[in-house]
């Protein structure tokens, strides 16, 4: 399970909408307790692909974020990216590129602009499973 605050969800949606027509991406940090991930920090990273169909996170930014996460005694709990015109589930490429079965892969679909959809997935052995995503006030 992964837990976001309502404010974080709103911020994610706003960021991804502002990034249209391209995909947006970033990293999620927080705490993990009894297998429950609580997101405390969202890091917005540059999509160096500048594409509506795929993304690559800026390597330099990734290193900076990871060291910031360590410095603050937090953990990397997952990452997020947007799908400007496809559903909120991992594409074949997302599954192929997933490298860590412990991370949450959060996908925000803007297929319906007025009604963004967010889901979290775990990806293991080339299979994607849906995580429970909870939004707290
Ligand atoms: Zn994707």
């Amino acid at each position: 399970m992964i837990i976001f605050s309502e404010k974080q969800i709103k911020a994610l949606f706003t960021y991804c909408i502002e990034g249209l027509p391209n995909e947006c991406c970033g990293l999620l940090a927080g705490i993990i307790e009894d297998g429950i991930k609580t997101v405390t920090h969202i890091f917005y990273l540059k999509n160096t692909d500048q594409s509506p169909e795929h993304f690559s996170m800026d390597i330099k930014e990734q290193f900076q974020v990871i060291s910031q996460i360590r410095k603050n005694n937090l953990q990397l709990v997952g990452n997020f990216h947007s799908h400007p015109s496809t559903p909120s589930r991992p594409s074949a490429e997302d599954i192929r590129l997933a490298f860590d079965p412990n991370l949450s892969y959060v996908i925000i679909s803007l297929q319906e602009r007025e009604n963004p959809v967010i889901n979290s997935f775990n990806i293991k052995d080339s299979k994607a499973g849906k995580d429970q995503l909870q939004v707290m006030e």
Side-chain angles (χ1 to χ4, degrees):
M1 174 152 70
I2 184 161
I3 301 173
F4 287 91
S5 72
E6 227 175 80
K7 221 171 121 187
Q8 288 171 330
I9 297 280
K10 274 194 193 139
L12 275 173
F13 286 172
T14 303
Y15 181 72
C16 292
I17 287 167
E18 281 172 356
L20 287 170
N22 294 332
E23 288 196 8
C24 288
C25 54
L27 295 172
L28 305 169
I31 49 172
I32 306 175
E33 231 172 32
D34 300 326
I36 297 172
K37 299 168 176 169
T38 304
V39 176
T40 58
H41 292 73
I42 299 173
F43 296 93
Y44 301 94
L45 275 72
K46 194 191 289 168
N47 175 5
T48 54
D49 289 349
Q50 292 288 299
S51 156
E53 272 148 25
H54 41 93
F55 73 98
S56 303
M57 290 188 213
D58 188 285
I59 303 275
K60 225 170 105 188
E61 282 181 356
Q62 278 193 65
F63 279 121
Q64 285 164 352
V65 167
I66 299 293
S67 76
Q68 219 176 315
I69 290 171
R70 292 216 182 102
K71 234 184 273 168
N72 289 296
N73 285 319
L74 296 167
Q75 275 179 279
L76 178 68
V77 300
N79 56 50
F80 75 89
H81 73 281
S82 63
H83 280 177
S85 52
T86 52
S88 166
R89 56 168 180 263
S91 66
E93 187 181 66
D94 291 337
I95 291 173
R96 190 171 56 79
L97 295 175
F99 60 95
D100 188 340
N102 298 312
L103 291 183
S104 292
Y105 292 84
V106 172
I107 300 178
I108 296 138
S109 169
L110 303 169
Q111 204 173 15
E112 285 179 62
R113 291 294 137 86
E114 317 300 308
N115 208 4
V117 178
I118 183 167
N119 283 305
S120 176
F121 300 86
N122 55 78
I123 301 175
K124 212 185 284 179
D125 304 325
S126 304
K127 278 195 202 87
K130 213 172 185 177
D131 277 339
Q132 217 186 318
L133 187 153
Q134 217 174 74
V135 183
M136 307 288 251
E137 269 183 50

